[in-house]
């Protein structure tokens, strides 16, 4: 059984221990380090992954810690190589440990405050590399979360002691969340606020949690997932947010706090000018259609014909076609390559039914589409199929190419 030194002292980051067992790490073979080994010690300050908190990193006997696993009674230290000595020194990555202590204690505090204010119980906790989340049963609105954030930070500023005690599970432990553990239970208390059964690493007073920042909210399987950051993470995030917002503010040459309203106004302006642009483009296309009609040669049957190569069939192509065939007896064809598509328009007095003609030519070539007698449109599976269709169509309707 491994003695867990972090149970009584979360600040212990250097220790000596005796190696009591080791085995090749068959569970996670890694070609890069075939000598990987699981090492067991009589005691350890390394925290193994459990309760939503990731394992500690660092060195054991000069070898890098790859993973720390809780095997129940024992803790396995997965090392990058094979250990030679029987007695070793362990050194834990202090910054990572302190970060985990801040996030984890912050979670206790936030969960306790959510009970205190809104009777909303925490059902799970995850400490991620970037952010931490808790899942809370029920619903809370953004104003309630702002209130919880204010209250949690108030308790941080009060610098209340956070203490560790061990009590027997047979008595009334007065815990926030009942524990299933039998016998001696490790209890983490925040003075006059919270008592939780927990095996994790925590700071000794709420002031060391540092600022608590609530961010994103998501609905996940009927629960509310709250993203939060504590301590140095909260400061780093606030700094990144400030820099991102400042970049936006610089674009608008506006004070930071006025930027959201300005962005809204700019978006409305953009939508308005997009509407105007669309209207002008249609008018231009109609004028083009009329000009094309005026330039087009009149056939012996009195019909004017034109064929246009365009990049794609758009609202403007249709406006141009409509305007062309509205000017007198006329047939208009637009051919697009990206993607392969065709547009056929014909005036009522041209004797051509656009929909019928196109449907008949599209079908055998794997194309799809249709339309009315005056305007029809279709898409084709390939440029070759389009080319073939264009040849048949221009021949049939006597369109000069
Ligand atoms: Zn804890």
């Amino acid at each position: 059984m491994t003695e867990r030194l972090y149970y009584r002292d979360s600040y212990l980051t250097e220790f000596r221990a005796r190696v009591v067992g080791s085995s090749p790490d068959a569970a996670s073979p890694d070609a890069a380090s075939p000598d990987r080994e699981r090492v067991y010690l009589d005691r350890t300050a390394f925290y193994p992954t459990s309760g939503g908190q990731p394992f500690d990193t660092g060195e054991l006997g000069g070898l890098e810690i790859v993973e720390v696993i809780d095997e129940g009674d024992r803790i396995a230290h997965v090392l990058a190589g094979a250990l030679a000595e029987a007695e070793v020194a362990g050194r834990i990555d202090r910054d990572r440990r302190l970060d985990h202590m801040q996030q984890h204690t912050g979670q206790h505090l936030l969960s306790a405050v959510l009970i205190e204010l809104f009777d909303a119980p925490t059902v799970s906790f995850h400490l991620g590399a970037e952010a931490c989340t808790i899942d809370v049963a029920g619903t809370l609105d953004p104003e309630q979360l702002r209130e919880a954030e204010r209250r949690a930070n108030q308790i941080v500023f009060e610098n209340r002691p956070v203490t560790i005690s061990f009590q027997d599970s047979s008595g009334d432990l007065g815990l926030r969340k009942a524990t299933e553990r039998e016998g001696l239970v490790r209890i983490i208390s925040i003075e006059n606020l919270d008592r939780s059964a927990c095996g994790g690493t925590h700071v000794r007073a709420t002031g060391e949690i540092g600022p608590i920042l609530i961010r994103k909210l998501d609905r996940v399987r009927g629960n509310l997932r709250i993203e939060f950051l504590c301590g140095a993470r909260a400061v780093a995030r606030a700094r990144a947010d400030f820099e991102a917002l400042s970049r936006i503010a610089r674009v608008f040459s506006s004070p930071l706090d006025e930027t959201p309203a300005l962005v809204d106004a700019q978006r409305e302006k953009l939508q308005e000018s997009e509407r105007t642009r669309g209207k002008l483009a249609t008018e231009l296309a109609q004028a083009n259609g009329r000009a094309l009609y005026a330039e087009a040669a009149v056939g012996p049957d009195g019909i004017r014909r034109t064929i246009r190569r365009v990049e794609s069939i758009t609202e403007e192509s249709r406006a141009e076609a409509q305007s062309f065939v509205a000017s007198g007896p006329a047939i208009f064809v637009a051919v697009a390559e990206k993607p392969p598509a065709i547009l056929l328009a014909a005036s009522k007095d041209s004797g051509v039914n656009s929909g019928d003609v196109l449907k008949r030519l599209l079908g055998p070539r794997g194309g799809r589409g249709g339309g009315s007698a005056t305007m029809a449109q279709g898409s084709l599976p390939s440029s070759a199929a389009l080319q073939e269709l264009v040849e048949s169509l221009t021949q049939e309707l006597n369109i000069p190419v």
Side-chain angles (χ1 to χ4, degrees):
M1 187 161 166
T2 315
E3 186 194 345
R4 299 171 191 239
L5 298 170
Y6 60 83
Y7 266 2
R8 295 188 185 273
D9 186 359
S10 294
Y11 293 84
L12 181 69
T13 53
E14 285 182 30
F15 67 102
R16 291 195 70 81
R18 227 160 28 81
V19 178
V20 295
S22 66
S23 60
D25 183 42
S28 44
D30 182 349
S33 50
D35 298 334
R36 250 164 83 151
E37 202 174 54
R38 278 188 186 219
V39 171
Y40 301 92
L41 305 173
D42 61 342
R43 52 189 220 143
T44 188
F46 279 101
Y47 184 78
T49 302
S50 56
Q53 182 180 332
F55 64 92
D56 288 323
T57 56
E59 282 178 7
L60 191 63
L63 291 168
E64 191 199 333
I65 291 271
V66 176
E67 201 183 347
V68 188
I69 302 162
D70 196 336
E71 296 182 351
D73 280 350
R74 299 193 303 175
I75 291 176
H77 306 75
V78 182
L79 299 181
L83 208 54
E85 312 98 87
E87 196 165 321
V88 286
R91 193 189 50 74
I92 290 166
D93 180 329
R94 206 182 285 261
D95 290 345
R96 176 174 159 103
R97 164 62 75 82
L98 180 64
D99 169 56
H100 289 175
M101 286 158 65
Q102 286 183 321
Q103 311 311 316
H104 193 145
T105 317
Q107 179 262 309
H108 282 237
L109 174 50
L110 194 56
S111 292
V113 161
L114 288 171
I115 287 280
E116 181 195 65
L117 295 178
F118 309 115
D119 204 22
T122 296
V123 293
S124 67
F125 163 54
H126 175 70
L127 202 173
E130 298 285 324
C132 306
T133 57
I134 50 173
D135 286 5
V136 170
T139 48
L140 293 168
D141 61 42
E143 181 46 44
Q144 287 176 310
L145 284 152
R146 279 192 284 275
E147 199 181 331
E149 189 183 69
R150 271 196 298 274
R151 177 70 180 142
N153 280 295
Q154 189 179 47
I155 295 167
V156 166
F157 306 148
E158 289 172 7
N159 201 25
R160 296 194 195 181
V162 178
T163 52
I164 306 166
S165 63
F166 294 86
Q167 279 176 285
D168 194 85
S169 62
S170 57
D172 177 16
L173 300 176
L175 300 174
R176 167 160 50 81
K177 192 175 169 185
T179 180
E180 284 167 10
R181 277 185 182 268
E182 301 268 309
L184 216 52
V185 177
R186 182 174 185 254
I187 297 166
I188 305 301
S189 308
I190 302 174
E191 192 179 77
N192 293 329
L193 179 76
D194 188 50
R195 284 169 61 79
S196 290
C198 184
T201 57
H202 310 83
V203 295
R204 62 196 143 203
T206 55
E208 287 188 31
I209 297 169
I212 297 177
L213 183 64
I214 291 179
R215 282 171 61 85
K216 218 169 54 168
L217 305 177
D218 281 313
R219 300 281 336 163
V220 178
R221 287 180 290 276
N223 293 321
L224 180 67
R225 179 162 291 173
I226 303 170
E227 184 188 288
F228 70 96
L229 301 152
C230 302
R233 286 193 188 198
V235 175
R237 188 63 253 178
R239 156 91 6 222
D241 288 349
F242 174 75
E243 278 164 11
L245 285 170
S246 296
R247 274 182 65 184
I248 299 169
R250 273 199 298 278
V251 170
F252 291 103
S253 307
S254 96
L256 200 60
D257 290 340
E258 289 169 24
T259 309
L262 208 64
V263 169
D264 274 346
Q266 290 283 333
R267 198 193 45 205
E268 260 171 51
K269 250 189 186 166
L270 189 65
Q271 284 171 343
E272 178 59 40
S273 65
E274 189 50 39
R275 275 192 292 274
T276 309
R277 191 207 62 79
K279 209 169 137 248
L280 290 173
T282 303
E283 281 173 17
L284 181 64
Q286 287 166 343
N288 275 346
R290 284 191 296 273
L292 278 171
Y293 181 85
E295 287 162 16
V298 185
D301 52 2
I303 296 175
R304 301 186 197 213
R305 297 168 169 86
T306 192
I307 182 162
R308 303 268 286 149
R309 299 270 169 188
V310 295
E311 194 159 275
S312 56
I313 308 281
T314 61
E315 200 50 56
E316 280 87 69
S317 323
R318 285 185 284 276
E320 191 178 285
Q322 201 162 35
S323 163
F324 187 89
V325 301
S327 305
I331 298 170
F332 179 102
V333 176
V335 181
E337 280 294 338
K338 287 175 193 170
I342 185 131
L343 176 79
L344 172 63
S347 61
K348 283 201 178 81
D349 52 12
S350 68
V352 172
N353 183 313
S354 306
D356 289 352
V357 171
L358 216 51
K359 248 192 183 143
R360 175 163 47 77
L361 295 174
L362 280 166
R365 295 173 177 87
R368 293 169 56 158
S372 68
T374 47
M375 197 179 315
Q377 201 176 319
S379 60
L380 287 121
S382 66
S383 298
L386 174 68
Q387 207 38 56
E388 221 185 278
L389 184 145
V390 170
E391 273 169 33
S392 304
L393 183 71
T394 48
Q395 226 163 53
E396 181 174 333
L397 302 180
N398 296 318
I399 297 168
V401 282

